[in-house]
Amino acid sequence: MSPVKIGVLISGGGTNLQSIIDNIKNGNIDGEIKLIISNRKEAYGLTRGKDAGIESIYLDRKLFNSEEEYNLELIKEFKARNVELIILAGYLRVLSKELIEEFNGRIINIHPSLIPSFCGKGYYGEKVHQGVLDYGVKITGATVHFVDEGTDTGPIILQEIVYVDSEDTVDTLKEKVLKIEHKLLVQAVKLYCEGSLIIERRKVIIKQR
Ligand SMILES: Nc1nc2c(c(=O)[nH]1)N[C@@H](CN(C=O)c1ccc(C(=O)N[C@@H](CCC(=O)O)C(=O)O)cc1)CN2
Ligand SMILES: NCC(=O)N[C@@H]1O[C@H](COP(=O)([O-])[O-])[C@@H](O)[C@H]1O
């Protein structure tokens, strides 16, 4: 079977993207990243992609009249490269209904909390960890899920917990969770590329090999 053609959307540093690049390179993931798109020009993830020899572009939202038009351009770029799976690796914009429909069941997102806690509109990046600390929960973690029209409401693929210590700060918590994110995202993409993920309504079944 030929490697799954992957498109990646980013907005920032790209450490999750890097974990996918590294695990494709070492043969752990049977995939090929065809295109990386960032909605932010300064995203270091673009540099990571270029350093890995992957087409990496900044798509300026200001060039488009609406979020819908911006998403239609995303669809065009990914379809032009026959992308089969889209990974949201720290992408901080909500995808449109059209894009979700076009790639239904083929968009994976990584989120730095245990969904359904600390997620949805306004919860992204360090804001998530600040919410965890402000609330005083004792466990947090990471979630990889399929993306639907809601924000962080799609079927959950994998989750793993991280214990919150009394002396944790946003930075220390972010670092602990990011390590788990890298592991979970690689596992989920590997399972997807192996055809091991089955979506049954709200549930994701992992086929045992
Ligand atoms: N249709 C969907 N789109 C996206 C999903 C999803 O589940 N369904 N996941 C998000 C990622 N995400 C959390 O995992 C997320 C991203 C962004 C926001 C948010 O509130 N963004 C701000 C703008 C932030 C900025 O540009 O600085 C906003 O939209 O006002 C919340 C959650 C990716 N897309
Ligand atoms: N709601 C989406 C969200 O908060 N995504 C988060 O942005 C960070 C991106 O880091 P990276 O650019 O180093 O991969 C990651 O922690 C990811 O979970």
Side-chain angles (χ1 to χ4, degrees), residues 40 91-95 109 111 121-122 124 147-148 150 152:
R40 292 184 181 174
Y91 182 66
L92 301 184
R93 301 202 71 80
V94 178
L95 298 179
N109 180 51
H111 184 76
K121 201 94 167 130
Y124 53 90
V147 169
D148 63 13
D152 306 326

Side-chain angles (χ1 to χ4, degrees), residues 11 39-40 88 90-97 100 109-112 115 119-125 127-128 145-154:
S11 298
N39 69 307
R40 292 184 181 174
L88 308 185
Y91 182 66
L92 301 184
R93 301 202 71 80
V94 178
L95 298 179
S96 71
K97 181 170 178 288
I100 305 285
N109 180 51
I110 178 77
H111 184 76
I115 288 174
C119 64
K121 201 94 167 130
Y123 275 113
Y124 53 90
K127 292 173 185 284
V128 174
H145 63 95
F146 283 109
V147 169
D148 63 13
E149 284 175 48
T151 301
D152 306 326
T153 55

Side-chain angles (χ1 to χ4, degrees), residues 48-199:
R48 293 179 189 273
K50 288 169 186 164
D51 288 351
I54 301 166
E55 187 181 8
S56 305
I57 61 175
Y58 161 56
L59 194 61
D60 185 353
R61 169 66 181 77
K62 295 190 290 298
L63 299 178
F64 300 85
N65 295 323
S66 68
E67 205 65 28
E68 284 67 26
E69 276 189 29
Y70 188 79
N71 278 257
L72 288 174
E73 182 67 17
L74 294 175
I75 293 170
K76 184 172 149 241
E77 296 288 354
F78 285 139
K79 285 177 75 78
R81 293 158 181 85
N82 300 312
V83 163
E84 301 163 83
L85 170 68
I86 297 174
I87 299 172
L88 308 185
Y91 182 66
L92 301 184
R93 301 202 71 80
V94 178
L95 298 179
S96 71
K97 181 170 178 288
E98 289 79 10
L99 197 153
I100 305 285
E101 285 174 352
E102 186 68 39
F103 288 90
N104 189 33
R106 299 188 291 145
I107 309 172
I108 288 174
N109 180 51
I110 178 77
H111 184 76
S113 77
L114 295 175
I115 288 174
S117 298
F118 307 104
C119 64
K121 201 94 167 130
Y123 275 113
Y124 53 90
E126 295 185 0
K127 292 173 185 284
V128 174
H129 306 303
Q130 190 59 64
V132 163
L133 293 173
D134 292 347
Y135 199 99
V137 294
K138 300 301 181 184
I139 59 166
T140 185
T143 303
V144 195
H145 63 95
F146 283 109
V147 169
D148 63 13
E149 284 175 48
T151 301
D152 306 326
T153 55
I156 291 171
I157 303 168
L158 296 170
Q159 291 187 299
E160 185 170 323
I161 70 163
V162 168
Y163 286 95
V164 183
D165 300 324
S166 52
E167 66 277 9
D168 264 325
T169 63
V170 167
D171 286 342
T172 60
L173 205 46
K174 173 181 169 184
E175 199 176 326
K176 289 198 291 191
V177 173
L178 212 42
K179 280 195 181 76
I180 300 299
E181 291 180 53
H182 297 161
K183 185 176 79 170
L184 286 193
L185 184 59
V186 166
Q187 277 177 337
V189 173
K190 177 179 172 64
L191 287 167
Y192 182 95
C193 292
E194 290 169 350
S196 298
L197 299 179
I198 301 163
I199 304 176

